[in-house]
Amino acid sequence: MSSSGDAAVRSKPVFSRPWVILAIAVLFTTAPFLTSRSLGTNEAANYSLAVADFVTQLRDGELPVLVGQTDYAWNGRIHPHRTAPYILYAAGLLDLVTFGTLSFWTLQNLVVGFSLAAGILAFYWSLRRACPDDLSRLSAAILAAAYGLSPGLLATAYAMDLYMTVMTAPWIPVAIGGLAIAFRDRGQRGQYQSAIALSACWLAHPPVAFWLTLIVGGGFVVVAVRGPARIGMLVRFCGAALLLMVLSGFAFASALTVRDLGRIATAADVDLLLAETRRVATDALLPISLRADQLGDFQLGYAYWGAMAAAVILTAIRRAPGPAVLLAGAAVLLSLTLPVPGIQKWAWSNAPAIAINLTNQWPMQRTYLLATACIVFALGLVWRNPPAPRNRLFKEVRTLVVLCVIGWTAWQAYQFINRGFGSHASTTVAMRQHRPENINPTLISYALLATPPWFVNGAMDPVMEFRLRAPFDGAVVMKNGAADFPQTDARGSIRYATAGPGVMVLAPKLILEPGRRYRLTFDFRTTPREMVLTLTGPTFRREYPLPSSGGPEAFGMMEGNSRSLYLWTTGAEREEIELNLVAAGIENSRNLVLADYLLESVRIDELPIAPLSLHPIVARVLAPEAAYLEAPRQYIEGYRATVNGSEVPVQPSDDGQLLVPVPAGESRVEISYDGPAIVRGMFWLSLVGWLAVGTLAALPGSLAARARGYMVGPVRTAWLRRRWVLVGGAAAVLVLGAGTRKWMEYRRSAGPIVLDVLFPRGKSGGIEPLLVTGRPSAGSFVYVRYEDERHVRLGVDVWGLGSAISDPVEVDYLATHMIEVSEAPLYPEGHPALQNLPDYERQRLQREFQVRIDGATVLDLDLEQWPSRLRDIVVGRNPIGGSTAGVAFTGRIIDVRRGALAESVSP
């Protein structure tokens, strides 16, 4: 009997074995990424620079890596370092285990390929775990392959290089699988599985994580309300929520501490989103385009619409709540993506701003992947392996239909795979893209923060973008790019040499010697027109769109554009550079003279601002006067700077770059990035959490269960025995802690307020609030009026009771100034700190209005004043609508504190 059974197993077709299905799907979907060459569009190239920067910093011992700082990201990029860091840490881990032997392109390709493969395998594992007895391994493997071959997934990897979305592919089915388990046994295990997967998604790509959290979180709410509430189940849900907070805390702290990202919940306009979804709605219902590179290629696909219909019917027949939740989630996502009359516009118009801002104007890039996963998983949950049909014709028809569906799905998937192979570049090109002289940061590296006016859609030289700016109006005092260079290497005219279709080869060729930098300056002789200037050598490749390559001060032919490019080679050999023009019909311009040119040698050590390092920034500055050093790096909170060893404040320029005050003469400036303390703390907390989860997952089942028992068992036992005591104790601790905090705040709420401020530049004539107390029609204002580049006035205004303004006060706009305010609302009546004062002192404090700057009293008034509550004392803003000052202080408030009470009492 055993022999016949073995023969029966051996007689099964090889394609009926689950591992074969999974292996074919994995190899098929990941094949283009199994290369050390570059592939994809400029977006993929840009992300490879982020990987290169991250891995380089990691090799230098930087951890956590929070902003770009090396040659690969010298502009201080924060995307994806702070917004979606999973891909970078995955590449860093892979670099660690391979001992730094892989190229940056190989690291990125393998991480993306691993995610695609892991997505298929994770779907199979999650589906089998969610319904081990109701679904055969073969059916689970087919459904997992369907997930991997879906347009919703492959479009993210191959159509537009959305690698952060690809990183979520393995975790989406794991999160859904945890919800399915919870429906089966009311959350005995699944909530922790979902919490771990959701945490990974928040680290990988918050827009996908947001919608997945809504679906899975909504599902768990349904689980909780379907039956009688149990304390144990609620405790597990709370434990899963705590686990989610620990594992994903770094993602939230990292993103939300960037000032502009912290406003993600503010109002958003949905008109562009609605217009884009309507524009591609028809394309999303058609087959995949021939080149698989259109926005309409983000779609569900015919086979998956059929799967959704089948899942809806089977769910209704079997009255399965879990699949119903998943299908409802998919329906909501599809209705947000397709212009369903009366639904889509209403839904987006009433959606919270955070949903609109996270999703951006192309929801199809986020929603189709999630909808596909929900549909296919729901089908797996309600599928029952049907008995073999007795009617031969029915069996053959069914087989034919299945083969047609598989064939069509594979053909549609092949369009994406073919695009992946077609985008492979040569090994030479891949290596050339990461040479410092060729690095094009692109607009993507400035995502979420403003681009400076000198931004170029092409390679830039950060060394030449250092500037000195005047303290008050920010005018450029000096910049490296405008320095005089005594050595001329070549001059002449750049003119037509030969031409081909759409391309003109220019002469002469330029020679770059190793170890030298050059400034190439054009005096254009042609009318500005749309074309692309390319510079190509054996290891050198750049291109610049014309007539303007970027911002108003970027290289180009238009008024205000720079006329200079900076060239160098990091190779050991002389580089011969050929110049080409690419444009329609350019080959007919046979008499064209593009420009007269001048090629000059640049010596970095002779520049007025000589950068010695970019990681960290170290520069020698020769300033003709006290000024601000502007470094070409995007400003965010967390930078520290020293000038000649003394720490100085760092602030943003009007263009969003780093500003550091420097004195006249020679200085040594060092700028490094530490990041906010909360971000670093949450990184280490999340890391410890992930190491603990990974350790438990790696242990064999019995050991893992025993470890969980050691960690959770005593807590569970204590909870079951004394749960009401513990609940009451926890509540009491929370109340006592909150009360103690409030009491301590109140104890410190008497005394003058001291502000350390940096005044903003270029605000001549402007009036801004420093301290506002009270309510509308019953408040007071302390404000600053900017007189000129050297003077300010400080003023006070008590609503309806009196006002005054100081004489002009000379200030240094480079320096931090200390402003002290003493007024009646800062001494609450009946406050314990005032009890020991004589009556006349308390009465004096209730009428005195005193303002000092840098220790000198500039206003000392005897005024009747309005009382104010502690919560109505506001620094740097005007929330009560008074016309005395503007809405907010636009400088930088470095510190706010209460001064000693004795300082406000005259001797």
Side-chain angles (χ1 to χ4, degrees), residues 132-146:
D133 301 324
D134 300 329
L135 190 70
S136 71
R137 289 182 172 85
L138 179 60
S139 296
I142 292 172
L143 292 172

Side-chain angles (χ1 to χ4, degrees), residues 6-295:
D6 292 342
V9 171
R10 286 195 298 270
S11 67
K12 288 185 178 181
V14 68
F15 289 107
S16 67
R17 301 187 181 189
W19 68 266
V20 175
I21 301 293
L22 295 173
I24 292 173
V26 165
L27 290 174
F28 182 65
T29 56
T30 62
F33 285 101
L34 303 180
T35 178
S36 61
R37 297 187 289 170
S38 62
L39 75 156
T41 65
N42 286 339
E43 189 129 349
N46 183 271
Y47 290 143
S48 75
L49 295 177
V51 168
D53 171 78
F54 182 92
V55 171
T56 301
Q57 291 195 57
L58 207 59
R59 290 173 180 174
D60 291 342
E62 187 84 25
L63 191 70
V65 178
L66 300 175
V67 296
Q69 299 190 80
T70 67
D71 286 333
Y72 307 103
W74 50 263
N75 62 343
R77 67 184 299 163
I78 63 168
H79 176 67
H81 294 65
R82 297 286 286 272
T83 56
Y86 178 102
I87 185 174
L88 302 181
Y89 283 93
L93 179 61
L94 182 59
D95 183 70
L96 180 66
V97 299
T98 56
F99 303 103
T101 58
L102 302 180
S103 70
F104 300 131
W105 268 114
T106 305
L107 290 173
Q108 176 167 287
N109 292 342
L110 288 179
V111 166
V112 177
F114 286 165
S115 292
L116 290 171
I120 296 172
L121 299 178
F123 198 100
Y124 175 79
W125 175 84
S126 300
L127 198 53
R128 287 288 303 155
R129 180 175 165 85
C131 46
D133 301 324
D134 300 329
L135 190 70
S136 71
R137 289 182 172 85
L138 179 60
S139 296
I142 292 172
L143 292 172
Y147 172 68
L149 296 174
S150 66
L153 176 56
L154 293 183
T156 63
Y158 295 109
M160 294 184 180
D161 308 325
L162 305 180
Y163 293 162
M164 286 72 191
T165 302
V166 177
M167 296 299 107
T168 66
W171 300 101
I172 292 171
V174 176
I176 295 174
L179 176 61
I181 292 172
F183 269 104
R184 195 182 67 208
D185 60 12
R186 296 209 66 211
Q188 294 298 313
R189 294 173 295 165
Q191 71 280 0
Y192 295 108
Q193 176 179 317
S194 292
I196 293 169
L198 288 173
S199 300
C201 287
W202 278 107
L203 289 165
H205 199 39
V208 173
F210 174 79
W211 292 107
L212 182 62
T213 301
L214 290 183
I215 294 172
V216 174
F220 277 110
V221 171
V222 175
V223 170
V225 301
R226 282 186 63 234
R230 295 177 181 173
I231 293 295
M233 182 183 67
L234 295 178
V235 169
R236 283 190 292 273
F237 285 165
C238 292
L242 179 60
L243 179 63
L244 174 65
M245 292 172 60
V246 170
L247 297 182
S248 64
F250 173 58
F252 289 98
S254 179
L256 296 179
T257 50
V258 177
R259 183 176 300 178
D260 289 342
L261 294 185
R263 305 191 188 103
I264 198 167
T266 57
D269 185 5
V270 301
D271 290 341
L272 179 60
L273 184 153
L274 294 173
E276 286 296 287
T277 55
R278 290 167 184 166
R279 180 176 67 85
V280 300
T282 302
D283 294 340
L285 300 176
L286 297 175
I288 302 301
S289 66
L290 292 177
R291 295 186 300 175
D293 62 350
Q294 300 300 306
L295 197 57

